[in-house]
Amino acid sequence: MRILAGFTIFDYKKKILKPLARFMPYFKLRVALFKLCGYSIGKDVFIGEELIISDNLHDKNIFIGDRASIAPRVTLVTSSGPNLSRIKPYVKVVDSGKIRIENDAWIGAGAIILPNVTIGEGAVVGAGAVVIEDVPPYTVVAGVPAKAIKKLEIEK
């Protein structure tokens, strides 16, 4: 790939397409644009309006399985830090982590998923929850921080 001012063509494409995807009026267009940004997204996925993905420009560490449903205003954080703040030497910084949302999972409106978290198959994350650790399959979590509140009994 050609490099311009330290960025590849892919980086520029992601910089343009990611903000566009957030506000597309039709969910299938949102999904298509997020895929073009390099995120792994399965079949029949629903992504609501204003999905925020906070990651490094070169990262491709979001995986969303088949039939997953992500409600509006969800935030996926794979990278965060104090940048140039003087507190940087005193706080734990996760340079980059992965987020996996397995098949048939449902993420409620306004939920926040932090780095290095897997949302298990068929799991449900309640609206407004802050997920800081893995969610087991077929488990409902809610709250800040998110805690298991119910186990789903699914016939297989």
Side-chain angles (χ1 to χ4, degrees):
M1 287 191 172
R2 186 159 181 221
I3 297 179
L4 305 168
F7 295 103
T8 66
I9 298 299
F10 172 79
D11 295 336
Y12 283 108
K13 186 168 101 174
K14 184 176 179 182
K15 272 270 212 225
I16 293 166
L17 295 179
K18 194 164 87 167
L20 281 176
R22 288 187 62 207
F23 299 105
M24 278 293 131
Y26 183 54
F27 79 93
K28 288 188 177 183
L29 289 173
R30 283 191 290 277
V31 170
L33 289 173
F34 280 125
K35 282 182 179 182
L36 287 172
C37 291
Y39 303 118
S40 177
I41 301 175
K43 295 180 291 188
D44 300 321
V45 169
F46 176 84
I47 295 178
E49 298 88 357
E50 298 184 46
L51 171 65
I52 297 172
I53 300 175
S54 176
D55 62 351
N56 291 318
L57 196 54
H58 306 293
D59 289 348
K60 295 181 186 177
N61 49 11
I62 301 282
F63 169 85
I64 301 172
D66 297 339
R67 299 168 306 281
S69 182
I70 300 175
R73 296 193 174 174
V74 167
T75 302
L76 304 177
V77 181
T78 65
S79 178
S80 182
N83 296 323
L84 301 176
S85 172
R86 292 185 299 177
I87 66 166
K88 190 172 184 172
Y90 305 101
V91 295
K92 181 181 174 190
V93 176
V94 176
D95 287 333
S96 187
K98 294 184 186 305
I99 292 178
R100 291 187 62 85
I101 300 172
E102 299 290 352
N103 297 341
D104 302 303
W106 176 21
I107 313 299
I112 299 170
I113 315 258
L114 295 182
N116 298 315
V117 166
T118 296
I119 308 298
E121 182 174 347
V124 178
V125 175
V130 177
V131 183
I132 62 172
E133 57 190 28
D134 292 351
V135 177
Y138 304 105
T139 302
V140 179
V141 298
V144 178
K147 300 285 183 206
I149 59 172
K150 182 178 181 179
K151 187 76 172 158
L152 299 175
E153 301 298 325
I154 304 293
E155 292 182 27
K156 295 181 184 179

